Amino acid sequence: MNVKHINNSFFIIKTKATKLVCDPWIGEMENTGTWSFPNLDNNKKILNKIKPDYIYISHLHYDHFDKEILKNYKQKKTKIIIKKFNDERLKNNLIRLGYKNIIELNSWQSYTINDLEVTMVPCDSSNSANIYTEINYDLDTSLIIFDKKNKVSFYNNVDNPLSLKAIKKVKNHVYKKYGKLDILSAGPRGASEYPQCFLNVNRVTEKRKIIQKCINRVDEIIKILKPKYLIPAGGSYIIFGKFHKLQKYVAHPTIKELEKHYSKFKNLNLLNLDCGSSIDITHNKASLNVIKSQKKLNKQLNTKTYFYNKIDDKKINLIEIFNEAKNNYLNKLKKLKIKNNWIINFYLYNNLKLFNNRKIDKQSSLTNKFSLFNDKYKKKSQVLNCYMDRKLFITLLTKKSFNWNLAIGGSIILMERYPNKFIPDVPFSLNFLRT
């Protein structure tokens, strides 16, 4: 089995009989302010060169499901492997792109593709901290891949925030069927908006905390699965555009820090694969092909504008639109019987700017303020303040192809929360705020 890592969770799994691509994404992440890194290519026709036999898509987020890459691939008869989600948005999106050979696997179902066997691992938690939430998304998946000829097993965790109980189930499946785990791909990096987008915290301190939490989580996964090789994947990106200075606070450890940490693990080899680097492994030997990125960071990315700047908002009645979206939001939460005892304030700007100290001017170009709350609850669990451009707010309220999760995680909304505590239902609920 040859495992080539392009970036993030974009892998090419190759055997003599099969070429499987996992989560193709390269370049700009749609609906966000993030870009793939260290691979800086924006080659949307990359699949035409790879010519995969199968493509696995873990979930809908655009750093895994890149519509432009899939649209540009000429071979629409290629088989696509996804989970059989109750919500069929991923399947329907693929059909709209012209793909018809969609293989939907049930949870823990195994499927043979020539000399490979793949098993679909479902999500069992909406967040990696395993904090209770009333708003659960059946969104993420992971994939177990086994090369039957060379007796090599590969577990690609992707972004799936599995509980350790579920990781133990992965172990039982792998060791019972294949005897061992050769390669683990997991992300010892933060991949969220915290702490870089939060204005009322010490982001340097919080960055260190989040890095340690991410590393600790992968440590626990390693202890359970006992892999021979670790690929530190996932969460590999940079922030572009006017908020690029926030990159300083993104919770990504350096490669040297990872190498130092994982050198303490006996019988574990860290594979710093990216930019097309690969490992070729059989049941009795392995060889590496490491490719270093020769490209310097493109300074033009710092001045690149965001996707929402193109919209014309001159004739928009924002008060009317917000009230309609608010009614939809409150009705949805009532239907789901969710106790929405919080306040979310939206501060909107013509052009929200970031100073050299990574703070914002809360008054300059402020155009509107809206509040979202339920009068039924007098005692509030949290106040969340969201600072964003007015055009972004309009886009999120009115355009079905855009969603709040990506905008928040894509580092284009700045926030404060009181108390500073992650309550998943508060940001998750915003996905219901639309006309």
Side-chain angles (χ1 to χ4, degrees):
M1 178 193 288
N2 181 273
V3 179
K4 182 181 287 187
H5 188 204
I6 307 300
N7 64 274
N8 201 45
S9 294
F10 184 177
F11 286 98
I12 304 169
I13 314 300
K14 186 178 178 182
T15 64
K16 284 188 176 181
T18 311
K19 198 180 290 184
L20 168 67
V21 161
C22 301
D23 287 346
W25 169 55
I26 201 163
E28 181 177 353
M29 182 178 172
E30 191 176 349
N31 295 358
T32 75
T34 57
W35 195 282
S36 67
F37 184 79
N39 193 325
L40 290 168
D41 286 331
N42 195 24
N43 182 7
K44 298 301 182 182
K45 297 182 180 180
I46 189 170
L47 290 183
N48 292 311
K49 182 178 179 181
I50 298 170
K51 297 179 181 178
D53 303 302
Y54 292 81
I55 300 172
Y56 160 64
I57 306 291
S58 63
H59 64 295
L60 262 175
H61 285 166
Y62 293 148
D63 53 337
H64 304 267
F65 167 66
D66 190 316
K67 288 191 290 187
E68 290 300 314
I69 286 180
L70 292 167
K71 184 171 70 174
N72 277 290
Y73 186 38
K74 296 176 181 178
Q75 301 300 324
K76 295 297 193 295
K77 292 183 180 180
T78 300
K79 293 180 179 179
I80 311 287
I81 299 172
I82 63 172
K83 179 179 177 290
K84 188 174 179 60
F85 291 106
N86 293 327
D87 180 337
E88 295 190 330
R89 284 181 300 160
L90 176 54
K91 179 182 178 181
N92 291 334
N93 271 284
L94 287 165
I95 291 172
R96 280 193 287 270
L97 289 170
Y99 292 91
K100 298 179 181 178
N101 292 330
I102 301 171
I103 300 167
E104 296 180 272
L105 300 183
N106 292 315
S107 298
W108 297 102
Q109 180 181 349
S110 296
Y111 180 78
T112 298
I113 50 177
N114 302 324
D115 49 359
L116 291 179
E117 181 177 79
V118 299
T119 304
M120 184 63 64
V121 180
C123 180
D124 74 332
S125 174
S126 64
N127 60 89
S128 58
N130 295 131
I131 298 173
Y132 173 75
T133 172
E134 292 182 300
I135 304 175
N136 285 294
Y137 292 110
D138 179 22
L139 175 67
D140 289 281
T141 64
S142 303
L143 199 68
I144 300 168
I145 305 168
F146 182 65
D147 178 350
K148 294 184 289 183
K149 183 176 181 180
N150 290 302
K151 309 299 181 187
V152 176
S153 57
F154 173 34
Y155 173 58
N156 185 12
N157 190 78
V158 200
D159 289 351
N160 200 345
L162 290 175
S163 65
L164 294 181
K165 181 179 179 181
I167 294 294
K168 289 176 183 177
K169 192 170 181 179
V170 171
K171 178 189 176 181
N172 292 337
H173 179 96
V174 171
Y175 278 77
K176 184 177 180 180
K177 293 194 75 172
Y178 314 131
K180 60 183 173 59
L181 179 64
D182 292 291
I183 305 173
L184 165 67
S185 168
R189 306 178 173 109
S192 76
E193 65 280 5
Y194 193 84
Q196 69 270 16
C197 291
F198 284 78
L199 302 170
N200 63 323
V201 301
N202 184 324
R203 287 178 281 189
V204 173
T205 301
E206 293 303 306
K207 173 182 176 178
R208 286 197 289 266
K209 288 181 182 178
I210 296 299
I211 288 175
Q212 194 57 55
K213 283 183 179 180
C214 293
I215 289 176
N216 289 346
R217 172 174 162 77
V218 173
D219 285 357
E220 293 297 323
I221 294 173
I222 291 170
K223 289 174 185 176
I224 294 169
L225 295 179
K226 296 180 172 59
K228 187 173 183 180
Y229 298 96
L230 170 67
I231 301 175
S236 181
Y237 65 86
I238 55 170
I239 300 170
F240 69 81
K242 64 181 181 179
F243 295 146
H244 71 273
K245 293 176 183 176
L246 295 177
Q247 187 67 34
K248 176 181 179 181
Y249 303 121
V250 174
H252 290 175
T254 66
I255 290 300
K256 286 185 178 181
E257 288 172 330
L258 292 177
E259 288 174 344
K260 181 179 179 182
H261 177 78
Y262 291 112
S263 66
K264 302 171 186 176
F265 283 75
K266 292 183 179 179
N267 305 317
L268 178 70
N269 299 281
L270 182 69
L271 299 176
N272 178 26
L273 304 183
D274 229 324
C275 304
S277 298
S278 63
I279 178 173
D280 197 50
I281 179 171
T282 67
H283 60 282
N284 58 9
K285 65 177 182 178
S287 60
L288 291 174
N289 177 28
V290 178
I291 299 172
K292 300 290 186 181
S293 175
Q294 300 298 318
K295 293 190 174 184
K296 293 183 179 179
L297 192 61
N298 188 346
K299 298 296 182 182
Q300 290 181 339
L301 286 177
N302 293 346
T303 57
K304 181 177 170 61
T305 58
Y306 296 134
F307 61 91
Y308 55 81
N309 285 330
K310 298 176 183 178
I311 75 163
D312 183 2
D313 63 341
K314 292 179 182 178
K315 297 181 180 179
I316 295 290
N317 186 330
L318 190 49
I319 294 175
E320 185 178 294
I321 289 173
F322 175 74
N323 286 335
E324 181 184 347
K326 181 179 178 180
N327 287 334
N328 291 340
Y329 173 88
L330 294 174
N331 289 335
K332 183 68 173 180
L333 293 182
K334 183 178 180 180
K335 184 178 179 180
L336 295 173
K337 298 180 180 179
I338 293 170
K339 183 181 179 182
N340 56 317
N341 59 338
W342 51 74
I343 299 176
I344 304 177
N345 296 314
F346 305 96
Y347 298 87
L348 310 182
Y349 296 79
N350 280 330
N351 183 19
L352 181 60
K353 293 183 178 180
L354 197 67
F355 293 138
N356 287 334
N357 62 358
R358 281 82 175 174
K359 297 288 186 179
I360 61 171
D361 184 342
K362 293 183 179 180
Q363 298 303 319
S364 177
S365 78
L366 179 67
T367 62
N368 304 87
K369 178 192 172 184
F370 293 99
S371 294
L372 193 61
F373 57 89
N374 190 335
D375 288 325
K376 178 181 176 181
Y377 301 103
K378 301 301 179 184
K379 187 176 180 181
K380 306 301 181 184
S381 60
Q382 189 172 69
V383 176
L384 177 66
N385 295 331
C386 299
Y387 302 88
M388 69 182 83
D389 285 331
R390 184 175 185 271
K391 287 186 176 182
L392 172 59
F393 189 63
I394 293 169
T395 302
L396 293 172
L397 292 183
T398 61
K399 306 293 185 183
K400 289 185 178 180
S401 59
F402 300 90
N403 71 65
W404 285 88
N405 267 2
L406 286 172
I408 291 172
S411 297
I412 49 178
I413 299 176
L414 304 181
M415 289 166 283
E416 296 166 333
R417 59 190 181 195
Y418 302 94
N420 181 36
K421 180 182 178 182
F422 179 44
I423 303 175
D425 286 346
V426 181
F428 289 0
S429 72
L430 284 174
N431 289 292
F432 304 133
L433 185 65
R434 60 173 62 252
T435 56

Short mmCIF file of all heavy atoms in Angstrom, two decimals, residues 216-238:
data_model
loop_
_atom_site.label_atom_id
_atom_site.label_comp_id
_atom_site.label_asym_id
_atom_site.label_seq_id
_atom_site.Cartn_x
_atom_site.Cartn_y
_atom_site.Cartn_z
N ASN A 216 -2.94 15.64 23.83
CA ASN A 216 -3.35 14.65 24.84
C ASN A 216 -4.39 13.69 24.26
O ASN A 216 -4.36 12.49 24.54
CB ASN A 216 -3.92 15.34 26.08
CG ASN A 216 -2.85 16.05 26.89
OD1 ASN A 216 -1.66 15.82 26.69
ND2 ASN A 216 -3.26 16.91 27.79
N ARG A 217 -5.32 14.25 23.47
CA ARG A 217 -6.37 13.40 22.88
C ARG A 217 -5.74 12.38 21.93
O ARG A 217 -6.09 11.19 21.97
CB ARG A 217 -7.41 14.24 22.16
CG ARG A 217 -8.40 13.41 21.36
CD ARG A 217 -9.52 14.24 20.76
NE ARG A 217 -10.18 13.52 19.69
CZ ARG A 217 -11.05 12.54 19.85
NH1 ARG A 217 -11.36 12.13 21.07
NH2 ARG A 217 -11.62 11.95 18.80
N VAL A 218 -4.81 12.82 21.08
CA VAL A 218 -4.17 11.89 20.16
C VAL A 218 -3.33 10.87 20.94
O VAL A 218 -3.26 9.70 20.56
CB VAL A 218 -3.32 12.64 19.12
CG1 VAL A 218 -2.52 11.67 18.25
CG2 VAL A 218 -4.22 13.49 18.23
N ASP A 219 -2.72 11.31 22.03
CA ASP A 219 -1.98 10.37 22.89
C ASP A 219 -2.88 9.24 23.36
O ASP A 219 -2.49 8.06 23.36
CB ASP A 219 -1.40 11.10 24.10
CG ASP A 219 -0.20 11.95 23.77
OD1 ASP A 219 0.23 11.93 22.60
OD2 ASP A 219 0.31 12.64 24.67
N GLU A 220 -4.10 9.59 23.78
CA GLU A 220 -5.05 8.57 24.23
C GLU A 220 -5.43 7.62 23.10
O GLU A 220 -5.56 6.41 23.31
CB GLU A 220 -6.31 9.24 24.81
CG GLU A 220 -6.10 10.01 26.10
CD GLU A 220 -5.63 9.12 27.23
OE1 GLU A 220 -6.11 7.97 27.32
OE2 GLU A 220 -4.78 9.56 28.03
N ILE A 221 -5.61 8.18 21.91
CA ILE A 221 -5.94 7.35 20.74
C ILE A 221 -4.79 6.39 20.43
O ILE A 221 -5.00 5.21 20.14
CB ILE A 221 -6.26 8.24 19.53
CG1 ILE A 221 -7.54 9.04 19.79
CG2 ILE A 221 -6.42 7.41 18.26
CD1 ILE A 221 -7.85 10.06 18.72
N ILE A 222 -3.56 6.91 20.51
CA ILE A 222 -2.37 6.08 20.26
C ILE A 222 -2.28 4.94 21.27
O ILE A 222 -2.01 3.79 20.90
CB ILE A 222 -1.09 6.94 20.31
CG1 ILE A 222 -1.04 7.90 19.11
CG2 ILE A 222 0.16 6.06 20.32
CD1 ILE A 222 0.04 8.94 19.21
N LYS A 223 -2.53 5.25 22.53
CA LYS A 223 -2.44 4.22 23.58
C LYS A 223 -3.45 3.10 23.35
O LYS A 223 -3.19 1.94 23.67
CB LYS A 223 -2.67 4.86 24.95
CG LYS A 223 -1.52 5.74 25.41
CD LYS A 223 -1.87 6.47 26.70
CE LYS A 223 -0.76 7.45 27.09
NZ LYS A 223 -1.13 8.23 28.30
N ILE A 224 -4.61 3.46 22.79
CA ILE A 224 -5.64 2.46 22.53
C ILE A 224 -5.33 1.66 21.27
O ILE A 224 -5.34 0.43 21.27
CB ILE A 224 -7.03 3.13 22.42
CG1 ILE A 224 -7.44 3.74 23.76
CG2 ILE A 224 -8.09 2.12 21.94
CD1 ILE A 224 -8.67 4.64 23.68
N LEU A 225 -5.02 2.36 20.19
CA LEU A 225 -4.88 1.71 18.89
C LEU A 225 -3.51 1.10 18.64
O LEU A 225 -3.36 0.20 17.81
CB LEU A 225 -5.20 2.70 17.77
CG LEU A 225 -6.64 3.22 17.72
CD1 LEU A 225 -6.80 4.22 16.57
CD2 LEU A 225 -7.63 2.08 17.54
N LYS A 226 -2.49 1.62 19.34
CA LYS A 226 -1.12 1.10 19.21
C LYS A 226 -0.65 0.99 17.74
O LYS A 226 -0.22 -0.09 17.29
CB LYS A 226 -0.98 -0.26 19.90
CG LYS A 226 -1.20 -0.22 21.41
CD LYS A 226 -1.05 -1.59 22.03
CE LYS A 226 -1.08 -1.52 23.55
NZ LYS A 226 -2.32 -0.93 24.08
N PRO A 227 -0.68 2.08 17.00
CA PRO A 227 -0.23 2.05 15.60
C PRO A 227 1.29 2.00 15.52
O PRO A 227 1.99 2.37 16.47
CB PRO A 227 -0.76 3.36 15.03
CG PRO A 227 -0.71 4.29 16.21
CD PRO A 227 -1.09 3.44 17.40
N LYS A 228 1.81 1.58 14.36
CA LYS A 228 3.25 1.61 14.13
C LYS A 228 3.68 2.97 13.63
O LYS A 228 4.77 3.46 13.95
CB LYS A 228 3.63 0.53 13.11
CG LYS A 228 5.13 0.37 12.93
CD LYS A 228 5.46 -0.82 12.05
CE LYS A 228 6.97 -1.01 11.93
NZ LYS A 228 7.30 -2.18 11.07
N TYR A 229 2.80 3.62 12.84
CA TYR A 229 3.11 4.93 12.27
C TYR A 229 1.99 5.90 12.58
O TYR A 229 0.82 5.53 12.60
CB TYR A 229 3.26 4.84 10.74
CG TYR A 229 4.38 3.95 10.27
CD1 TYR A 229 4.13 2.62 9.91
CD2 TYR A 229 5.69 4.43 10.19
CE1 TYR A 229 5.15 1.80 9.47
CE2 TYR A 229 6.71 3.61 9.75
CZ TYR A 229 6.45 2.30 9.40
OH TYR A 229 7.47 1.49 8.96
N LEU A 230 2.36 7.17 12.79
CA LEU A 230 1.38 8.24 13.01
C LEU A 230 1.58 9.33 11.97
O LEU A 230 2.69 9.86 11.82
CB LEU A 230 1.52 8.85 14.41
CG LEU A 230 0.70 10.13 14.65
CD1 LEU A 230 -0.79 9.84 14.64
CD2 LEU A 230 1.13 10.81 15.97
N ILE A 231 0.52 9.68 11.25
CA ILE A 231 0.53 10.84 10.35
C ILE A 231 -0.25 11.95 11.02
O ILE A 231 -1.46 11.82 11.24
CB ILE A 231 -0.12 10.50 8.99
CG1 ILE A 231 0.61 9.34 8.31
CG2 ILE A 231 -0.12 11.73 8.09
CD1 ILE A 231 -0.05 8.87 7.02
N PRO A 232 0.41 13.06 11.41
CA PRO A 232 -0.31 14.17 12.05
C PRO A 232 -1.10 14.98 11.03
O PRO A 232 -0.64 15.99 10.52
CB PRO A 232 0.81 14.98 12.69
CG PRO A 232 2.00 14.72 11.82
CD PRO A 232 1.84 13.32 11.29
N ALA A 233 -2.30 14.52 10.72
CA ALA A 233 -3.12 15.16 9.68
C ALA A 233 -4.18 16.03 10.31
O ALA A 233 -4.29 16.16 11.53
CB ALA A 233 -3.76 14.07 8.81
N GLY A 234 -5.00 16.64 9.45
CA GLY A 234 -6.13 17.44 9.90
C GLY A 234 -5.72 18.80 10.44
O GLY A 234 -4.66 18.97 11.02
N GLY A 235 -6.57 19.79 10.20
CA GLY A 235 -6.34 21.12 10.76
C GLY A 235 -5.16 21.85 10.19
O GLY A 235 -4.67 22.81 10.77
N SER A 236 -4.66 21.42 9.05
CA SER A 236 -3.50 22.07 8.44
C SER A 236 -3.97 23.16 7.49
O SER A 236 -4.39 22.88 6.37
CB SER A 236 -2.67 21.02 7.70
OG SER A 236 -1.53 21.60 7.11
N TYR A 237 -3.94 24.40 7.95
CA TYR A 237 -4.43 25.50 7.12
C TYR A 237 -3.85 26.83 7.60
O TYR A 237 -3.25 26.92 8.69
CB TYR A 237 -5.97 25.57 7.20
CG TYR A 237 -6.50 25.92 8.58
CD1 TYR A 237 -6.63 27.25 9.00
CD2 TYR A 237 -6.84 24.91 9.49
CE1 TYR A 237 -7.10 27.56 10.26
CE2 TYR A 237 -7.31 25.22 10.76
CZ TYR A 237 -7.44 26.54 11.14
OH TYR A 237 -7.90 26.84 12.40
N ILE A 238 -4.04 27.87 6.80
CA ILE A 238 -3.69 29.23 7.22
C ILE A 238 -4.89 30.13 6.97
O ILE A 238 -5.75 29.84 6.14
CB ILE A 238 -2.46 29.77 6.46
CG1 ILE A 238 -2.68 29.69 4.94
CG2 ILE A 238 -1.20 29.06 6.87
CD1 ILE A 238 -1.64 30.40 4.12
#
